[in-house]
Amino acid sequence: MSAAVASPRAATGGLAAITRIQLRTGWIPLVVWTLALIGVYLATVAAVDGLYGTPEQLQGYDDTVASDPAMAAINGTPYGADTLGGVVSNEFGFISGIAIPLMGLLLVVRQTRAQEERGMLELLRSRGVGARDPWIAAVLTTVCALVVVGAGFATVLIAYGEPADAAMLYGGSIAALGAVFAGFATFAGQLLRRAGAVTGLGILVLGLSYAARAVGDVRENGWKWLSPLAWQQETRPFTDDQRLWPLALAIGVAAVLILAGISLVGRRDLGAALVPSRPGPARAGRITRSTWGLALRLQTPAGLAWIAGAFAVGAVFGAFTDDIADAIAANPALAAVMGDGEATEGYVAITLAIIVVMAIGCLGQGVGRARDEETSGTLEPTLARAIARASWLGAHAAWSAVFAAATLLIGAAGLGLTANGEVDGILAAAVAYLPAVAVVVGLGVLLLGAFPRATWGVWIALGYIAFVAVLGNTLDLPDWALDLSPVHLVGNLPVDDVVPATQWLLGGIGAALALTGFIGMRRRDVPR
């Protein structure tokens, strides 16, 4: 496919037009990401300022976490933890290390590969929009949103008395971290044809980056320099040893990825990719002829990526249990930080919570993949055959649940495999979390069946569950707010005992939500 060479004025007009279209059709995700992150960060700063309001309290925090390998593995090295900004950076480290990269990745994929897969970019290209314009517009809007988030973080810190230069360096490093993954989405989007494949590969890279950063921080070796997450924390904004070169490194890598991706757009056909798709068979196989088999085929790539990422995180974090035990022997005060019970059990409980969050993320992407079938127009011809709506919804819901459960169990198996027997009952604890995952499965079915335009609510639920797991105690949330998270209701496993009544309650809630979703699917229009 060849494209005519447009004049500079036409090219500029096409870029401006597609930017306006993307802002008009995609402003809700931009606003939700931006306000949610700034709001959670503001709440975290306010809570930390209340808990550690004196220099003595800040110094006590620094003395406790400075030698804590568990904190280093989960949140990163706590640089400047004797300052308000340093404590917040450490407490917020897990959320920023996951949410900011996902923001950059998902926003770019949503406005580029996902629209190209649906045929929307073909319509726009017919109206004088250049091949590179949608990609440039998506990168610009995403990077601008990331800059707003970074500026919001910096403004909050300055309002609470942190030096402006430290706050701005921290905010800049946050924006640069997101820009790296926005650049990765731009580059990978030229290699892979499916939006789900780009997202899955990005999530896998994020998981590996998180693991590499954790290994480097705990073992104090060079592995962390393979991770963009480490580049962000190594700016050390709240210390006397502030560094600009890690920020420059992140900006440089982001620029290279973005420029390389945009330059490669012109080397492929619309709807194609540089990595050629494998030619499919002339006829569908026995498995993919069925509704359940086709749903399995569609859900498998992303599901396997989540499973691989969870196993890697579990295996890497499990290898640190010996380091945790050694650190506790040298500093018993760390036991209080890790919670009730044995400190190593507290560390395993935190790691299991991370794996549960990954399992729910796998489920969220599965729900999104099913929704794509409807928005892309492929669901209507499917239902025109002798296929019941309940069968289609049940197939996608079931396979999404299977991959989510596999993510949780295989991630826990990786954790138990490398924990060297330091903690018993890891796999049993993972099984006990399945009813909590079932609640989110039911929520996904409810939204997909009855409120399909609100399927993003699964990601809101994921964000809240992660928020409660990581910051619930720090922010001293009321009990009712904590109990809105099904993962919190299950307990802090394997430290706490499993309550069978809670398991049955969560299972019943999940079943009721799913049943309501199936009823809604029968009664609503398709597409909607």
Side-chain angles (χ1 to χ4, degrees):
M1 179 182 295
S2 60
V5 178
S7 67
R9 178 175 297 180
T12 304
L15 177 59
I18 191 63
T19 302
R20 288 195 298 269
I21 291 173
Q22 289 187 2
L23 289 175
R24 187 163 61 244
T25 60
W27 67 271
I28 292 180
L30 287 169
V31 171
V32 169
W33 274 107
T34 302
L35 293 183
L37 285 171
I38 295 176
V40 172
Y41 190 76
L42 174 60
T44 305
V45 174
V48 170
D49 185 55
L51 290 173
Y52 305 99
T54 66
E56 292 76 16
Q57 290 173 325
L58 290 171
Q59 187 60 53
Y61 180 91
D62 185 40
D63 293 340
T64 302
V65 303
S67 59
D68 184 1
M71 289 296 180
I74 295 167
N75 294 329
T77 302
Y79 293 119
D82 56 351
T83 67
L84 174 63
V87 174
V88 173
S89 177
N90 183 57
E91 292 291 331
F92 201 71
F94 174 77
I95 289 182
S96 63
I98 300 299
I100 296 297
L102 284 179
M103 177 181 176
L105 174 73
L106 295 177
L107 288 179
V108 171
V109 172
R110 182 183 186 276
Q111 293 289 10
T112 53
R113 261 304 173 187
Q115 301 299 328
E116 188 169 345
E117 193 173 330
R118 294 170 185 166
M120 298 301 296
L121 291 191
E122 186 174 5
L123 294 175
L124 293 173
R125 289 280 300 278
S126 68
R127 304 297 297 174
V129 174
R132 295 181 173 88
D133 290 345
W135 294 87
I136 296 173
V139 169
L140 287 176
T141 55
T142 300
V143 171
C144 285
L146 289 165
V147 169
V148 171
V149 171
F153 287 7
T155 301
V156 171
L157 290 171
I158 293 172
Y160 275 84
E162 287 298 294
D165 60 340
M168 293 174 65
L169 179 57
Y170 176 75
S173 68
I174 288 291
L177 171 62
V180 170
F181 281 84
F184 178 83
T186 306
F187 181 76
Q190 316 314 319
L191 304 180
L192 303 174
R193 189 167 66 93
R194 297 291 185 186
V198 177
T199 302
L201 181 60
I203 291 171
L204 179 59
V205 170
L206 175 58
L208 295 176
S209 298
Y210 191 85
R213 196 271 310 148
V215 171
D217 283 337
V218 174
R219 300 290 167 80
E220 298 182 354
N221 57 37
W223 277 98
K224 65 181 179 181
W225 292 109
L226 298 176
S227 171
L229 307 182
W231 307 343
Q232 185 272 320
Q233 71 176 24
E234 286 297 328
T235 56
R236 306 184 183 186
F238 305 106
T239 69
D240 295 331
D241 183 28
Q242 293 181 352
R243 297 176 173 183
L244 291 176
W245 64 265
L247 175 61
L249 174 62
I251 294 174
V253 170
V256 169
L257 288 171
I258 291 170
L259 292 175
I262 291 175
S263 67
L264 291 175
V265 173
R267 297 177 180 269
R268 65 175 180 85
D269 292 336
L270 183 65
L274 295 178
V275 176
S277 300
R278 185 178 61 182
R283 296 184 179 181
R286 181 182 302 176
I287 294 178
T288 52
R289 289 178 190 173
S290 68
T291 304
W292 286 71
L294 181 58
L296 173 62
R297 174 66 181 84
L298 295 173
Q299 297 284 351
T300 295
L304 292 180
W306 280 104
I307 290 171
F311 181 81
V313 168
V316 170
F317 277 57
F320 297 149
T321 51
D322 290 337
D323 299 89
I324 304 299
D326 294 341
I328 294 302
N331 185 2
L334 292 180
V337 178
M338 301 307 298
D340 298 331
E342 294 293 334
T344 50
E345 286 187 351
Y347 169 72
V348 167
I350 295 173
T351 305
L352 269 180
I354 293 173
I355 295 173
V356 173
V357 169
M358 296 183 71
I360 297 173
C362 175
L363 176 64
Q365 193 168 3
V367 171
R369 185 67 184 86
R371 174 61 177 163
D372 288 342
E373 289 294 290
E374 184 170 1
T375 57
S376 64
T378 58
L379 177 57
E380 287 180 276
T382 299
L383 296 180
R385 301 166 55 201
I387 295 176
R389 296 185 179 196
S391 178
W392 176 84
L393 179 58
H396 280 278
W399 288 123
S400 296
V402 167
F403 281 115
T407 299
L408 172 57
L409 297 179
I410 293 177
L415 175 61
L417 185 66
T418 57
N420 298 324
E422 292 285 345
V423 178
D424 295 327
I426 293 177
L427 194 58
V431 172
Y433 276 120
L434 288 176
V437 176
V439 171
V440 188
V441 172
L443 175 63
V445 175
L446 171 66
L447 295 177
L448 192 59
F451 309 100
R453 294 181 180 177
T455 50
W456 46 265
V458 176
W459 293 104
I460 298 295
L462 169 63
Y464 187 79
I465 289 170
F467 169 72
V468 169
V470 177
L471 294 173
N473 293 329
T474 300
L475 300 182
D476 196 23
L477 295 177
D479 290 341
W480 66 266
L482 294 174
D483 290 342
L484 289 176
S485 167
V487 175
H488 181 268
L489 279 176
V490 171
N492 190 35
L493 306 180
V495 176
D496 298 337
D497 294 329
V498 177
V499 180
T502 302
Q503 304 282 297
W504 284 104
L505 173 64
L506 292 175
I509 293 174
L513 292 173
L515 178 60
T516 306
F518 276 102
I519 294 173
M521 186 69 190
R522 291 183 60 186
R523 295 181 176 180
R524 72 173 176 88
D525 295 333
V526 176
R528 180 179 172 185

